C-alpha cells in the first residue's frame, strides 16, 4: 500500500499514510545517524548488508531495490518485502549513507527479539538509526484479509498508545500467539525496537503521526526521539521531534479504555 505503483486504485486514498512515512524517514535522516538499520518481518531471522537486494516483481512491479546506495548489483541475500519497502522509503528520501537490514522471523520469541535488539546497538561508538517496518492487525472488519475479530481494535489501540508514548514495556508485552492470530506483521520488529531503545538507558519521547486501518489493516507511523546529549528533551522539528497527530483517537487518561488518571 505504501508504494504507489503497487497500491493501484488505492494509491490516492493512502497519500496521507505515504506522506507520514516520508516525513518520518526524513526526520530520522535529519538526526545524522552513522548508519540506518531497516528492521522488518521475514520468513527467517537474518542480517542484511548494503549489497543485499530484492525485487518487487512478485508483487506486480518490475523493480529491483537494495539496501545501500553503495551496494553492488549482485546481492548476497534476498530481501523480504518489509525491507524492500524500507529500502524504497530510504531511496525516495534520498538517503545516501550506509544502510543495513535485519529481518526477524514472524514467530520469533520475545526473548530472541530482545537479543537481536541489543545486538543492533551494541557498538557504543556507532549512532544507529532504526527504521522499523511492521503492520498491525489485519482483522479490522469483514472485508479485511483476516475477516473481523473483536480483539483487533483493542490490540491496535494498545500498540498505537505504546508507539505514541515510547512505552517499551507495552511493546515487549505483546503476546506472540494473539499477534499471529490477528495477522500482525509488526510484533517481532517492534519488540526488537523496544529492547534496542532500552539499551540506551535514557528516556525516549514518542510521537504518533498516523494511525488508521484502511482496507481492514492497521498502519502506524511514529518517531521515537532520545534526549539531547545534555539530557534535555529538545524542541523543534529538526531536533528529532516530529509533529504529533492521530487518525484514530485513542482513549485519554481517565476515560474508559484509557490508562488510569
Amino acid at each position: 500500500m505504501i508504494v504507489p505503483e503497487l497500491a493501484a486504485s488505492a494509491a490516492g486514498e493512502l497519500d496521507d499514510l505515504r506522506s507520514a512515512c516520508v516525513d518520518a524517514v526524513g526526520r530520522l535522516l535529519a538526526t545524522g545517524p552513522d548508519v540506518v538499520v531497516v528492521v522488518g518481518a521475514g520468513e527467517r531471522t537474518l542480517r542484511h548488508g548494503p549489497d543485499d537486494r530484492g525485487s518487487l516483481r512478485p508483487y506486480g512491479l518490475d523493480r529491483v531495490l537494495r539496501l545501500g546506495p553503495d551496494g553492488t548489483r549482485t546481492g548476497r541475500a534476498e530481501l523480504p518485502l518489509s525491507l524492500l519497502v524500507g529500502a524504497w522509503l530510504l531511496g525516495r528520501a534520498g538517503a545516501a549513507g550506509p544502510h543495513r537490514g535485519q529481518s526477524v522471523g514472524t514467530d520469533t520469541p520475545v526473548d530472541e527479539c530482545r537479543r537481536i535488539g541489543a545486538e543492533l546497538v551494541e557498538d557504543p561508538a556507532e549512532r544507529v538509526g532504526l527504521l522499523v517496518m511492521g503492520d498491525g492487525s489485519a482483522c479490522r472488519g469483514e472485508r479485511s484479509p483476516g475477516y473481523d475479530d473483536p480483539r483487533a481494535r483493542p490490540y491496535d489501540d494498545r500498540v498505537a498508545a505504546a508507539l505514541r508514548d515510547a512505552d517499551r514495556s507495552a511493546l515487549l508485552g505483546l503476546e506472540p500467539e494473539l499477534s499471529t492470530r490477528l495477522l500482525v506483521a509488526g510484533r517481532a520488529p517492534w519488540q526488537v525496537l523496544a529492547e534496542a531503545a532500552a539499551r540506551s538507558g535514557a528516556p525516549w519521547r514518542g510521537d504518533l503521526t498516523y494511525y488508521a486501518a484502511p482496507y481492514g489493516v492497521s498502519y502506524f507511523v511514529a518517531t521515537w526521539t532520545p534526549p539531547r546529549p545534555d539530557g534535555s528533551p529538545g524542541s523543534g522539528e529538526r531536533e528529532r521531534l516530529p509533529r504529533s497527530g492521530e487518525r484514530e483517537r485513542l482513549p485519554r487518561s481517565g476515560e474508559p479504555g484509557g490508562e488510569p488518571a
Side-chain angles (χ1 to χ4, degrees):
M1 291 296 184
I2 293 176
V3 181
E5 295 91 334
L6 294 178
S9 61
E13 297 178 43
L14 298 174
D15 279 346
D16 53 349
L17 167 60
R18 205 167 292 115
S19 176
C21 289
V22 171
D23 184 63
V25 173
R27 294 175 186 276
L28 171 64
L29 297 176
T31 68
D34 297 325
V35 62
V36 173
V37 180
V38 185
V39 182
E43 293 184 2
R44 56 189 179 132
T45 298
L46 187 67
R47 290 281 184 96
H48 295 274
D51 293 346
D52 291 354
R53 64 208 296 259
S55 175
L56 292 174
R57 182 176 296 175
Y59 308 99
L61 180 63
D62 189 11
R63 181 179 301 176
V64 174
L65 297 169
R66 61 192 182 197
L67 278 175
D70 298 325
T72 63
R73 290 184 175 274
T74 56
R76 299 167 297 166
E78 188 76 10
L79 298 176
L81 179 60
S82 61
L83 269 61
L84 283 174
V85 176
W88 181 85
L89 286 170
L90 287 170
R92 181 165 181 170
H99 314 313
R100 299 196 298 263
Q102 175 70 61
S103 56
V104 189
T106 54
D107 59 350
T108 302
V110 178
D111 286 346
E112 180 67 6
C113 292
R114 299 186 69 168
R115 183 192 65 79
I116 294 168
E119 288 184 350
L120 290 179
V121 295
E122 63 184 355
D123 184 353
E126 185 177 55
R127 296 182 64 250
V128 178
L130 298 182
L131 176 57
V132 181
M133 310 296 297
D135 303 341
S137 73
C139 302
R140 296 285 296 272
E142 295 181 357
R143 296 185 179 182
S144 65
Y147 197 64
D148 184 57
D149 191 313
R151 298 170 295 180
R153 175 63 183 262
Y155 180 102
D156 291 330
D157 283 353
R158 180 180 170 191
V159 171
L163 294 174
R164 179 196 62 198
D165 300 334
D167 189 338
R168 297 164 294 192
S169 296
L171 292 181
L172 291 172
L174 296 174
E175 306 87 349
E177 183 177 350
L178 176 60
S179 302
T180 298
R181 289 181 178 178
L182 295 178
L183 305 182
V184 176
R187 190 271 307 173
W190 296 328
Q191 291 178 335
V192 170
L193 163 67
E195 184 63 24
R199 291 288 165 153
S200 71
W204 289 71
R205 173 174 174 173
D207 278 297
L208 184 69
T209 56
Y210 184 95
Y211 169 34
Y215 306 101
V217 179
S218 290
Y219 291 93
F220 315 89
V221 181
T223 301
W224 284 18
T225 305
R228 292 173 176 173
D230 62 5
S232 63
S235 62
E237 295 181 1
R238 303 299 289 183
E239 296 179 275
R240 309 169 183 159
L241 299 180
R243 293 183 300 273
S244 176
E246 304 173 23
R247 299 304 187 275
E248 296 203 20
R249 183 179 178 275
L250 300 180
R252 296 185 181 276
S253 176
E255 294 181 346
E259 295 296 325

